Structures are given as C-alpha cells and as structure tokens.
C-alpha cells in the first residue's frame, strides 16, 4: 500500500536569499529542481536525496550535541546530511560563509561527523557512514 506521506520537504525562510542559494546549492551541492520565484518573492526547490524525520527527546539531543560539538549548541531543528567526506564538505561550507561549530569526530556509532552552522544560523550535521 502507498504510504500517506510521500515526501518530506523542509521550508527554510532566510533573510539573505542569495547567500542561502550560494551556501546550500552551490557549496553544499544540492541540485536545484525548481525555481518558483515571482515578482512577489523568491523560492527555489533543492533536492537533498532521501528525506527522513528524526525525532529526538531533549536528553538524546543533548547527547548528540555533546558527542558532535562538546556542548549543547543546536536548536529545535538541525539538518543532518549524509555526504561522501564530512570533513572535506565542512571545509567547503566554511569557505562559503558557514561557521565551524566543532572539528570532525568519529561517533560511538562509527560515523564521521562534522558540525557546521550555516550563514542563516541553521545547524548542520554532516555525516559520512563508516
């Protein structure tokens, strides 16, 4: 049977649209699927591969932040993106205007994770599976 939900789309409102496009599309490499911009406002749709919704309680969110960044740093929403080389991608995103939150680490579950804050203050976990 077909599931009720067939796509998860994160709608991110940003104050500097050009900077966000340069960061997410150009530096991170998300493929642009659509441009629905008009005289009333600007919007593009970027593909980020398969989407999942990870629900964490406060204790687990705190633990993940402690592992990845050494302290509680993320807000209610954090994007986690699987990439080929998390350290290399983190460097690319910092060069594109992001801020390194913590150096890449190997997690207890074996992934190589890096934490970056986007220019719009969105926290990103970049992970490369073991």
């Amino acid at each position: 049977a077909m599931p009720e939900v067939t796509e998860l789309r994160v709608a991110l409102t940003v104050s500097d649209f050009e900077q966000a496009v340069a960061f997410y599309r150009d530096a991170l490499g998300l493929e642009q699927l659509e441009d629905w911009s008009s005289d009333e406002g600007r919007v593009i749709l970027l593909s980020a591969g398969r989407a999942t919704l990870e629900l964490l309680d406060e204790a687990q969110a705190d633990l993940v932040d402690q592992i990845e960044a050494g302290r509680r740093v993320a807000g209610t929403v954090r994007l986690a993106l699987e990439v080929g080389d998390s350290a290399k991608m983190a460097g690319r995103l910092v060069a594109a205007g992001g801020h390194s939150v913590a150096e890449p680490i190997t997690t207890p579950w074996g992934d190589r994770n890096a934490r970056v804050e986007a220019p719009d203050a969105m926290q990103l976990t970049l992970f490369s599976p073991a």
Side-chain angles (χ1 to χ4, degrees), residues 6-128:
T6 58
E7 178 181 351
L8 172 65
R9 185 173 294 174
V10 177
L12 184 59
T13 302
V14 297
S15 59
D16 187 334
F17 188 81
E18 290 300 324
Q19 183 182 48
V21 171
F23 187 83
Y24 290 103
R25 185 190 65 195
D26 303 338
L28 186 56
L30 301 183
E31 177 187 2
Q32 182 172 323
L33 300 177
E34 299 286 345
D35 184 340
W36 296 315
S37 299
S38 70
D39 292 340
E40 297 164 346
R42 300 168 70 192
V43 58
I44 61 172
L45 181 65
L46 303 174
S47 174
R50 181 179 70 110
T52 60
L53 178 61
E54 183 176 344
L55 300 175
L56 299 86
D57 66 12
E58 289 290 332
Q60 184 65 24
D62 197 45
L63 176 65
V64 170
D65 276 6
Q66 288 295 330
I67 290 168
E68 293 182 359
R71 64 196 186 288
R72 184 75 169 120
V73 291
T76 305
V77 177
R78 172 180 50 85
L79 301 180
L81 303 154
E82 182 176 343
V83 297
D85 183 332
S86 56
K88 184 176 176 181
M89 180 59 75
R92 200 161 117 188
L93 294 180
V94 167
H99 169 71
S100 177
V101 175
E103 292 298 314
I105 54 98
T106 301
T107 65
W109 47 91
D111 290 351
R112 188 78 175 148
N113 290 17
R115 185 71 72 92
V116 174
E117 186 174 276
D120 57 25
M122 175 61 69
Q123 290 267 327
L124 289 86
T125 292
L126 306 169
F127 68 97
S128 301

